[in-house]
Amino acid sequence: MKVITKHITKGQFIKDIMSEIPSNILLFKNITGIGATTLEILSERHSIIIEPYSPVMINKKRKHSDIFIVKHGIGRADIIKYLKNDKIRFKKIVSTPESFSKIMDAFRILKINVYKEYFLLFDECETTCRDVSFRPKIVLPMNDFFKFDKKAFVSATAVIPRDPRFKEQGFEIHNILPDFDISHDITRYKTNNSIYTTMELLEKDDSENKHFIFLNSIDAITTLIEKLKIHSLSSIFCGENGKVKLKRDSYAHVGLEIEESKFSKYNFFTSRFFRAVDIDVHEDVNIYIISDPNISTNTLLSQETDVTQIIGRFRDMSFNRNIQVISTTNEKTPYMTDQQIDTFLQVIKGVYNTVSKAISTISKENNIPKAVIEEFKNILNYNIFLQQDGSVNHFMIDNIYHDNRIKSLYTCPYKLDKAFEESLLFNSKNKRYNVKNIITRSHEKGSDMIYIYGEHRPYAEIMDEIIDELMKAENPTDASESKELKFLKLKYQSQFPELIEAYELVGGAKLLEECHSKKGVQRLIMQYKKTEGTGNFEFLKDLKKIFYTGKFDTGVNLRKSFRELIQKHKIEGLSDSSQSLRNFAQLSGQTRKNGVQGYYVIEHKV
């Protein structure tokens, strides 16, 4: 796409360098809060503006009372009434992507040629790429978008989309570059525990400043609040699901919208408020931006888009913004390289096409209902990259590349350091950040261990996660204990000794089947020791005969003998896993004898 650069000076807004937003452009603002949507609202033409989140629309409505916002509870009849109001010279409709279809229905009913008479602006357009994996309806307006004669994609942190229709319709990139330094002063904290590091910073701060903490995890937020005992001093701004989860009423405020009057000493925000919403505070503030793969990959933020957007929420530049970016890395964070994604997409597309063709042939011959065929296609992975009409959903493809690039940064501290240091505005040498300091914080426990005690996380949920991890790390056909399993057992031993003991005694499957509380786990251990443990003398007698000291055999054969022994003595609840065998007999590490790999029985434990 052709790139047209436009320069802006300090104190200027978009309206100072263009009279209206041109059609068929990707407007790369690069600077938040310079009035792109305001320009469209004030332009002398009919407009539809798509905003990604409801709080953004509500925020716009406060500042521009004459706009009409389409949100939950607004129906076609309301839209029609607004459109038929002749007193409104230029109609300005603001909607979320999910409500866009109601607007189009209203125009069809009134037989208005919306494609020719209205300008369509998609604000914060990178959300089509960023959010589509968990919010597929965000791209529903896009087929209509390309039918409009006049339209634009706009963001301060835009991502060039893959959808070929942009090029086919001659879109240009209008790149707004400042002729002044807009880099944000930030302090970065590299840590193995984002929760503890944030706690330390909050506890040590003795200023009168309010704290604004951006963390996309309700469980992690409530863990922080619980650890600091700051319930009555905390306001939480989140989505509907988060609010439902926050059953307690002891917080100062829990809200779905930004209300400056509801700000407390400590203010927490989930991703719903990372973009486009204005936070109008006229005082010095402390800002904490947290990413932690040990908590959830949903917390991971892009330095190109997310971090810039969060900082841009604070509009009043005359006050000090103390910005602290807190990050952990984990070399095991799963991701694919661009090349791996290319191969992955090619493979699953080939499988999808082959299977779909076979299904079509079979369905014609056997008269299989269409609903059954569609249900089967949904099982195939490639279906998520298709729209309802069967065409390619290019925004989902953008998403898989974008998300994996972000994840890759959080596998290595060096990668993340470099990403912040080298982050530049589009097509320029202008830096996004001035990293004033990099401080390393190391804690005895990682953030996954502190987070797992989240205030709203029941013991059964924690137990399920830990046991699932342990079982996935087992060697399925071997008596050996994998390095991963050893690591996990050591990791959880200090915090959950009863789980590790129960897992070793009875195995993960029985533990998950029978226990739903800590008391249940402890009861299972006691029961085992009384019945299936050292009390079954015939079983132990045979075990010592079969697994005599010095015996050598393969891992597969050792497990087979152990399984047969359990079946012979009809011992219910005793796992035949290698871990269970090791409770009765100490085995050597894997070694070789006469060209065969296997294990020696060193001694008996009971």
Side-chain angles (χ1 to χ4, degrees):
M1 274 183 272
K2 181 181 178 181
V3 178
I4 297 173
T5 301
K6 295 178 180 289
H7 293 278
I8 192 168
T9 60
K10 195 167 187 177
Q12 282 190 317
F13 292 87
I14 288 280
K15 66 180 177 61
D16 298 316
I17 61 171
M18 58 177 70
S19 59
E20 64 180 15
I21 297 173
S23 181
N24 284 27
I25 69 164
L26 301 175
L27 181 57
F28 284 27
K29 297 188 303 176
N30 289 311
I31 312 170
T32 57
I34 57 173
T37 50
T38 298
L39 175 59
E40 189 53 44
I41 289 169
L42 299 177
S43 293
E44 294 185 347
R45 61 186 176 192
H46 299 310
S47 310
I48 300 171
I49 300 171
I50 299 176
E51 292 289 356
Y53 308 110
S54 291
V56 182
M57 297 195 307
I58 294 163
N59 191 277
K60 302 289 184 193
K61 180 71 173 177
R62 286 180 189 152
K63 297 183 177 182
H64 305 280
S65 59
D66 52 344
I67 66 174
F68 183 79
I69 64 173
V70 182
K71 59 176 184 174
H72 180 71
I74 299 294
R76 287 180 302 183
D78 301 301
I79 302 167
I80 290 170
K81 182 179 178 182
Y82 173 77
L83 292 173
K84 292 175 74 173
N85 187 344
D86 294 332
K87 294 180 181 179
I88 303 170
R89 186 181 175 194
F90 298 109
K91 305 296 192 296
K92 302 293 177 180
I93 304 172
V94 185
S95 170
T96 59
E98 287 81 357
S99 293
F100 181 75
S101 61
K102 292 189 285 187
I103 298 171
M104 298 305 290
D105 287 343
F107 280 113
R108 277 189 280 272
I109 291 169
L110 294 176
K111 296 182 179 178
I112 295 173
N113 190 345
V114 65
Y115 299 127
K116 290 194 176 296
E117 295 184 27
Y118 277 72
F119 186 93
L120 180 58
L121 178 72
F122 204 124
D123 194 23
E124 307 302 339
C125 59
E126 81 279 2
T127 55
T128 55
C129 156
R130 192 77 169 96
D131 294 3
V132 67
S133 60
F134 61 88
R135 189 185 169 192
K137 290 183 178 180
I138 197 170
V139 297
L140 284 181
M142 290 311 301
N143 285 336
D144 282 304
F145 176 85
F146 289 104
K147 295 176 184 177
F148 279 76
D149 287 349
K150 299 174 183 178
K151 58 208 175 271
F153 242 30
V154 178
S155 182
T157 53
V159 176
I160 298 176
R162 279 181 171 76
D163 195 314
R165 290 174 290 184
F166 285 98
K167 286 186 179 180
E168 289 167 4
Q169 295 195 10
F171 269 71
E172 298 175 337
I173 294 173
H174 284 214
N175 193 33
I176 310 298
L177 287 181
D179 62 5
F180 57 99
D181 181 16
I182 66 160
S183 61
H184 303 293
D185 291 341
I186 65 172
T187 299
R188 289 195 52 235
Y189 287 86
K190 299 193 292 187
T191 177
N192 67 327
N193 192 321
S194 63
I195 301 290
Y196 274 165
T197 297
T198 307
M199 285 171 59
E200 282 183 357
L201 294 174
L202 292 172
E203 287 174 326
K204 288 178 180 177
D205 183 82
D206 57 1
S207 71
E208 295 298 318
N209 296 0
K210 287 186 174 70
H211 304 286
F212 292 83
I213 301 136
F214 295 84
L215 174 56
N216 193 34
S217 168
I218 287 293
D219 287 324
I221 286 171
T222 54
T223 298
L224 256 172
I225 293 171
E226 174 66 20
K227 294 290 177 184
L228 290 169
K229 306 298 180 187
I230 54 172
H231 295 77
S232 63
L233 299 173
S234 297
S235 293
I236 304 174
F237 300 89
C238 58
E240 285 281 2
N241 292 339
K243 190 172 183 180
V244 169
K245 203 169 186 181
L246 296 166
K247 297 176 183 178
R248 299 178 51 147
D249 59 0
S250 56
Y251 303 107
H253 175 71
V254 176
L256 303 176
E257 302 170 13
I258 292 287
E259 296 178 69
E260 281 79 6
S261 62
K262 299 295 185 181
F263 287 159
S264 304
K265 178 68 175 177
Y266 305 94
N267 302 281
F268 296 85
F269 303 86
T270 59
S271 61
R272 178 184 175 92
F273 300 93
F274 289 4
R275 286 175 170 78
V277 181
D278 295 349
I279 298 180
D280 293 315
V281 290
H282 308 290
E283 57 185 291
D284 294 344
V285 295
N286 294 337
I287 302 169
Y288 307 83
I289 302 171
I290 303 169
S291 297
D292 194 329
N294 296 321
I295 290 174
S296 169
T297 54
N298 291 332
T299 69
L300 304 187
L301 302 175
S302 163
Q303 85 289 349
E304 300 285 352
T305 56
D306 305 310
V307 176
T308 298
Q309 285 283 355
I310 289 170
I311 296 169
R313 299 311 95 227
F314 298 85
R315 299 305 202 195
D316 194 336
M317 302 289 288
S318 62
F319 290 91
N320 180 50
R321 297 177 299 179
N322 180 23
I323 305 165
Q324 295 159 109
V325 179
I326 302 162
S327 313
T328 69
T329 55
N330 185 335
E331 62 182 9
K332 294 182 180 179
T333 302
Y335 77 95
M336 288 189 286
T337 64
D338 283 3
Q339 186 176 0
Q340 288 170 331
I341 295 171
D342 292 342
T343 304
F344 169 73
L345 291 174
Q346 288 172 9
V347 169
I348 62 172
K349 181 181 180 181
V351 171
Y352 180 86
N353 289 339
T354 301
V355 174
S356 293
K357 193 177 291 185
I359 291 172
S360 297
T361 303
I362 294 168
S363 64
K364 287 177 184 177
E365 295 173 356
N366 296 279
N367 199 27
I368 299 172
K370 186 176 180 180
V372 175
I373 295 169
E374 291 305 313
E375 183 71 24
F376 188 82
K377 284 184 177 180
N378 285 334
I379 298 171
L380 301 173
N381 280 344
Y382 193 69
N383 209 48
I384 65 173
F385 297 103
L386 299 178
Q387 299 188 81
Q388 291 178 344
D389 62 1
S391 60
V392 175
N393 185 341
H394 295 282
F395 298 97
M396 267 301 299
I397 293 174
D398 286 339
N399 173 268
I400 191 172
Y401 284 98
H402 184 68
D403 275 10
N404 277 278
R405 284 171 191 158
I406 294 172
K407 288 175 183 175
S408 72
L409 297 178
Y410 288 87
T411 60
C412 171
Y414 171 74
K415 284 185 181 180
L416 200 55
D417 293 346
K418 189 178 179 186
F420 274 96
E421 288 287 353
E422 298 181 359
S423 183
L424 304 175
L425 301 186
F426 177 75
N427 217 30
S428 79
K429 294 182 179 180
N430 299 37
K431 294 183 70 172
R432 292 183 189 276
Y433 307 105
N434 174 29
V435 182
K436 295 193 303 180
N437 203 359
I438 299 179
I439 300 170
T440 302
R441 287 280 192 273
S442 183
H443 303 276
E444 185 180 347
K445 298 174 186 174
S447 49
D448 50 346
M449 291 308 299
I450 188 71
Y451 159 72
I452 211 163
Y453 284 111
E455 186 179 356
H456 294 281
R457 304 198 75 209
Y459 184 88
E461 182 182 311
I462 296 169
M463 183 185 78
D464 284 355
E465 287 187 13
I466 293 175
I467 300 304
D468 280 347
E469 272 194 89
L470 294 170
M471 290 175 72
K472 285 176 183 176
E474 290 177 359
N475 285 331
T477 60
D478 205 325
S480 67
E481 183 173 74
S482 69
K483 290 181 180 178
E484 176 71 6
L485 185 57
K486 288 178 181 177
F487 168 77
L488 290 172
K489 285 164 66 176
L490 286 171
K491 174 181 174 181
Y492 293 119
Q493 179 64 45
S494 61
Q495 300 293 333
F496 303 99
E498 74 287 346
L499 282 182
I500 300 304
E501 184 178 4
Y503 168 77
E504 291 183 332
L505 290 175
V506 303
K510 185 174 179 63
L511 189 53
L512 290 174
E513 181 183 339
E514 295 196 6
C515 298
H516 307 285
S517 67
K518 187 173 183 177
K519 285 185 178 178
V521 174
Q522 292 168 335
R523 193 181 304 117
L524 185 66
I525 293 170
M526 290 177 62
Q527 182 183 2
Y528 173 84
K529 288 181 176 178
K530 286 181 180 178
T531 56
E532 282 85 22
T534 55
N536 195 319
F537 295 108
E538 291 302 317
F539 167 74
L540 293 178
K541 186 178 177 181
D542 279 356
L543 183 138
K544 290 177 180 179
K545 284 183 181 178
I546 295 169
F547 297 96
Y548 54 86
T549 302
K551 176 185 176 73
F552 177 88
D553 210 335
T554 65
V556 172
N557 287 340
L558 289 172
R559 284 196 63 182
K560 181 183 177 184
S561 299
F562 189 49
R563 187 182 307 114
E564 291 171 350
L565 183 63
I566 292 170
Q567 292 169 350
K568 175 185 175 181
H569 289 273
K570 299 178 181 179
I571 298 180
E572 296 181 3
L574 180 58
S575 169
D576 64 359
S577 69
S578 60
Q579 296 308 306
S580 185
L581 172 59
R582 287 173 180 272
N583 291 325
F584 297 94
Q586 181 182 345
L587 304 181
S588 70
Q590 193 175 59
T591 186
R592 185 177 292 272
K593 180 180 179 182
N594 298 329
V596 177
Q597 287 192 328
Y599 304 85
Y600 283 100
V601 177
I602 297 173
E603 63 179 0
H604 301 116
K605 293 184 177 180
V606 291

